[in-house]
């Protein structure tokens, strides 16, 4: 097995990861979050036709993304959203970040 240096940008690393991700839902999720950083969970679910995105995103984080120095990060919004009853919603935001990985085994 040889080792190859990873590119420095999110876009280039996602391009590499997409070569090994076969599940259409996971591909849609990764591409959507790349283009829409800080998207809310419900926005991701609707745009990507995924009922509960956190499950699929955690699968990506566990199974694929570490090899490419990527991580889908969940964080609280600066201001919590309100639901239809005016109550504070605990819906979070998601973004793709680079992590320390510099090489990928090929």
């Amino acid at each position: 097995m040889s080792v190859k240096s990873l590119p420095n940008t999110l876009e280039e690393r996602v391009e590499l990861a997409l070569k090994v991700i076969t599940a259409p839902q996971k591909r849609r999720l990764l591409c959507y979050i790349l283009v829409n950083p800080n998207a809310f969970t419900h926005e991701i679910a609707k745009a990507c036709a995924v009922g509960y995105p956190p499950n699929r995103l955690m699968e990506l984080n566990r199974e694929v993304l570490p090899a490419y120095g990527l991580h889908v990060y969940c964080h609280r919004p600066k201001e919590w959203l309100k639901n239809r009853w005016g109550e504070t919603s605990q819906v979070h935001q998601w973004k793709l970040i680079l992590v320390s990985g510099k090489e990928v085994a090929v």
Side-chain angles (χ1 to χ4, degrees):
M1 182 182 315
S2 64
V3 175
K4 181 179 178 182
S5 292
L6 286 170
N8 293 323
T9 68
L10 284 171
E11 294 80 8
E12 291 173 306
R13 290 188 189 193
V14 166
E15 188 177 319
L16 290 175
L18 287 172
K19 291 179 182 180
V20 299
I21 299 170
T22 57
Q25 285 184 333
K26 291 177 186 176
R27 293 176 65 83
R28 288 192 303 267
L29 285 167
L30 190 57
C31 291
Y32 185 82
I33 292 172
L34 175 65
V35 175
N36 300 282
N38 296 311
F40 285 95
T41 305
H42 63 285
E43 295 169 339
I44 296 167
K46 184 176 179 181
C48 298
V50 178
Y52 189 64
N55 283 346
R56 302 289 83 78
L57 294 169
M58 291 307 118
E59 289 170 4
L60 282 170
N61 277 341
R62 185 177 61 246
E63 300 165 3
V64 179
L65 299 182
Y68 299 95
L70 296 169
H71 184 78
V72 179
Y73 176 70
C74 177
H75 63 95
R76 359 173 354 168
K78 288 181 182 176
E79 291 185 34
W80 291 108
L81 298 179
K82 299 286 184 182
N83 66 21
R84 68 185 104 186
W85 295 280
E87 302 162 339
T88 300
S89 172
Q90 295 296 306
V91 69
H92 284 65
Q93 292 177 288
W94 299 82
K95 65 182 173 182
L96 193 58
I97 59 172
L98 294 172
V99 291
S100 61
K102 298 287 184 193
E103 301 174 333
V104 63
V106 291

